[in-house]
Amino acid sequence: MTKHTTEEPRVLAIILGGGKGTRLYPLTKERSKPAVPFGGKYRIVDIPISNCINSGYRKIYLLTQFNSASLHLHITNAYNFDRFSRGFVEILAAEQTLEHSGWYEGTADAVRKNFIHFKVQKPTHYIILSGDQLYRMDLKEFMNQHIASGADITIAAKAVNRSDASGFGIMKVDKENHITEFLEKPAKDMNIDEWKIPAQARGDLPKELEYLASMGIYIFNADTMEEMLDNEYKDFGKEIIPLALGKKQVNSYIFNGYWEDIGTIRSFYEATLDLTNPVPSFNFYDENKPIYTDMRNLPPSKINNADMTSSLSSEGCVITNSRIQRSVIGVRSIINEGCDLNGVIMMGADFYENEEQIAENKAKGIPNIGIGKGCKIGKAIIDKNAHIGNNCCINVTGKKYEDGDHGLFYSADGIIVIRKFAVIPDGTVI
């Protein structure tokens, strides 16, 4: 066990970028999960990075291997610390070395293959975070509890009801929050009454939340991390944590705030539209703990006679004589007159088209980037730089589509996803 002193811990934050992101496809067709736009002007990765910065942890590594070019560009533009802070956000993509030949094969394997980079910082502790979760957590408080408890490993946990427990790794704890057993996604008909949270550990949790689910967020003492990864095991949740039980003191840290895994199209869509509620579950409007992102130096949005209800509009948009309800409009979005949007996530554009590009589009019969005149769109995600022509109808006719690829668009749980750079001709009905 690491000896704890009064010295400030040297903490490295490691954000796991995830695999291919198949559950978020096609938003992950050309970018990694952490780089997917969120909330109009942000990227998903801005959430865990901001949690680290707001907690005073500014040495941050981001591990990724799929479609990382967009992520690299965002990180380079958004996170430049001054030389006095000694902070950094650095991407570590899978690389070949003399010791290993390539791809990360799991969360633990990704960390193991980067020890050569981590050890240079001489950390006393590692915080392991996920790149596709939506939450605000005071990681300093999490760390303080870990150190005070004398634990070797602490796992952030969310209290859940019996129905939700089947979707998570469930932990059995004693009255002092020591984790004694770990159960991966118990079947719905399995009796897990013995896994209920002890009364002494419950605090003020709602009575219907009886089980502790792992959030996939961990603190490791540095020497414990090296010891527990001195093997061939590849995954923290399925292998490393169960291995540690009985060998190390493993504690839980019960997190009672909002937390949402946004790793699927439906969860991503619902979490984004929740931002339009009068009091959203996730609050971007905390002055003391802002969510950071790329400062694009865009002009204010121009609203030309529009009726907007319960919607967010990001910088640099031009919206003309349209009706927009419960929608999130991303940067540089162009919405022409006579449009009706309801339940739409429009990710906007990476650039404004100039006159030459507009002329080229016209000659080829391609609509301009944005939404043309007279379009009606409902329950849809429009990825960046999409060209949608005039008088198009998208997901408003009541027609149902099987989940999967349909050429011009993708369908998932009744949500229509218009791909990045898609061209939707005038008059298209989807």
Side-chain angles (χ1 to χ4, degrees):
M1 185 183 297
T2 298
K3 292 181 180 179
H4 302 300
T5 71
T6 56
E7 292 181 10
E8 193 71 17
R10 297 185 300 277
V11 179
L12 275 191
I14 301 172
I15 299 173
L16 302 173
K20 293 181 179 180
T22 52
R23 297 184 304 156
L24 260 182
Y25 187 88
L27 302 180
T28 51
K29 184 176 185 292
E30 298 177 13
R31 58 168 82 89
S32 61
K33 275 196 293 185
V36 172
F38 179 77
K41 60 178 287 185
Y42 304 93
R43 306 281 185 136
I44 293 175
V45 75
D46 293 326
I47 307 302
I49 291 177
S50 297
N51 278 328
C52 291
I53 294 171
N54 291 330
S55 301
Y57 300 138
R58 299 190 170 206
K59 294 185 176 182
I60 305 165
Y61 286 105
L62 180 57
L63 309 188
T64 187
Q65 64 185 357
F66 294 100
N67 291 331
S68 57
S70 176
L71 185 61
H72 274 269
L73 183 61
H74 175 71
I75 295 299
T76 300
N77 289 339
Y79 299 101
N80 295 298
F81 295 104
D82 65 72
R83 60 180 180 171
F84 302 106
S85 74
R86 298 185 180 180
F88 57 82
V89 180
E90 185 174 334
I91 294 175
L92 295 175
E95 60 182 356
Q96 290 190 341
T97 70
L98 295 175
E99 285 76 30
H100 50 80
S101 59
W103 295 114
Y104 301 145
E105 298 179 48
T107 53
D109 185 62
V111 172
R112 181 188 299 113
K113 285 177 176 173
N114 283 291
F115 270 141
I116 188 172
H117 303 295
F118 302 152
K119 288 180 181 179
V120 173
Q121 302 298 329
K122 298 180 179 178
T124 59
H125 298 82
Y126 293 96
I127 291 184
I128 310 294
L129 305 169
S130 172
D132 59 358
Q133 296 174 350
L134 184 61
Y135 64 101
R136 281 185 183 275
M137 183 186 290
D138 185 344
L139 300 177
K140 189 82 170 224
E141 180 184 305
F142 183 19
M143 177 63 69
N144 289 344
Q145 179 175 309
H146 169 80
I147 292 173
S149 71
D152 299 297
I153 304 169
T154 302
I155 304 175
K158 185 75 176 162
V160 297
N161 59 32
R162 178 60 187 91
S163 176
D164 291 340
S166 295
F168 295 96
I170 300 300
M171 300 176 292
K172 183 188 285 188
V173 299
D174 62 22
K175 61 184 180 181
E176 295 178 328
N177 273 323
H178 297 158
I179 300 171
T180 58
E181 293 184 62
F182 187 89
L183 181 64
E184 183 73 17
K185 296 183 179 179
K188 289 189 179 295
D189 59 353
M190 180 179 177
N191 186 340
I192 57 172
D193 288 347
E194 291 184 2
W195 294 68
K196 290 182 179 179
I197 307 168
Q200 300 93 324
R202 289 191 58 83
D204 57 356
L205 291 172
K207 63 180 181 179
E208 68 273 10
L209 305 180
E210 298 182 301
Y211 303 91
L212 280 185
S214 170
M215 296 167 64
I217 298 173
Y218 315 104
I219 291 178
F220 280 76
N221 294 343
D223 54 359
T224 300
M225 174 79 88
E226 291 183 33
E227 181 184 342
M228 296 313 302
L229 294 189
D230 187 17
N231 49 51
E232 299 297 318
Y233 293 120
K234 297 172 182 176
D235 190 81
F236 279 114
K238 294 177 183 176
E239 297 169 310
I240 299 300
I241 298 303
L243 178 67
L245 297 178
K247 292 185 175 182
K248 299 292 180 181
Q249 182 179 327
V250 185
N251 282 16
S252 67
Y253 171 79
I254 300 177
F255 176 67
N256 205 16
Y258 171 76
W259 174 77
E260 186 67 46
D261 183 331
I262 47 177
T264 66
I265 290 293
R266 172 166 285 284
S267 62
F268 174 85
Y269 178 83
E270 291 176 350
T272 303
L273 286 196
D274 182 79
L275 300 174
T276 67
N277 291 335
V279 182
S281 300
F282 185 85
N283 176 25
F284 274 112
Y285 299 90
D286 186 334
E287 186 173 352
N288 296 318
K289 295 182 178 180
I291 302 299
Y292 301 96
T293 193
D294 179 13
M295 301 294 288
R296 298 178 179 85
N297 299 317
L298 288 171
S301 287
K302 184 187 292 183
I303 312 296
N304 300 315
N305 189 27
D307 179 1
M308 298 184 69
T309 306
S310 300
S311 297
L312 304 181
S313 175
S314 306
E315 309 101 306
C317 300
V318 180
I319 302 172
T320 303
N321 194 24
S322 293
R323 185 167 177 255
I324 300 173
Q325 303 175 72
R326 200 162 187 260
S327 298
V328 176
I329 310 301
V331 294
R332 302 186 189 88
S333 290
I334 308 296
I335 301 175
N336 286 287
E337 57 261 35
C339 291
D340 191 334
L341 277 60
N342 191 344
V344 174
I345 299 170
M346 184 175 182
M347 293 183 173
D350 291 315
F351 56 89
Y352 293 114
E353 291 178 303
N354 56 36
E355 292 183 6
E356 184 179 335
Q357 290 169 318
I358 290 172
E360 285 182 11
N361 286 343
K362 187 173 182 181
K364 296 176 181 177
I366 297 174
N368 296 330
I369 286 180
I371 299 177
K373 299 177 181 178
C375 292
K376 291 179 171 51
I377 306 174
K379 202 172 184 182
I381 300 173
I382 302 170
D383 206 339
K384 281 195 167 185
N385 310 321
H387 303 249
I388 298 178
N390 298 326
N391 303 311
C392 294
C393 290
I394 299 174
N395 213 15
V396 293
T397 63
K399 185 175 180 180
K400 305 294 183 184
Y401 294 93
E402 288 186 6
D403 287 359
D405 195 341
H406 294 269
L408 285 178
F409 64 96
Y410 190 92
S411 178
D413 285 329
I415 301 160
I416 299 298
V417 183
I418 304 298
R419 300 174 185 277
K420 189 176 183 181
F421 282 108
V423 175
I424 308 297
D426 290 357
T428 298
V429 177
I430 295 173

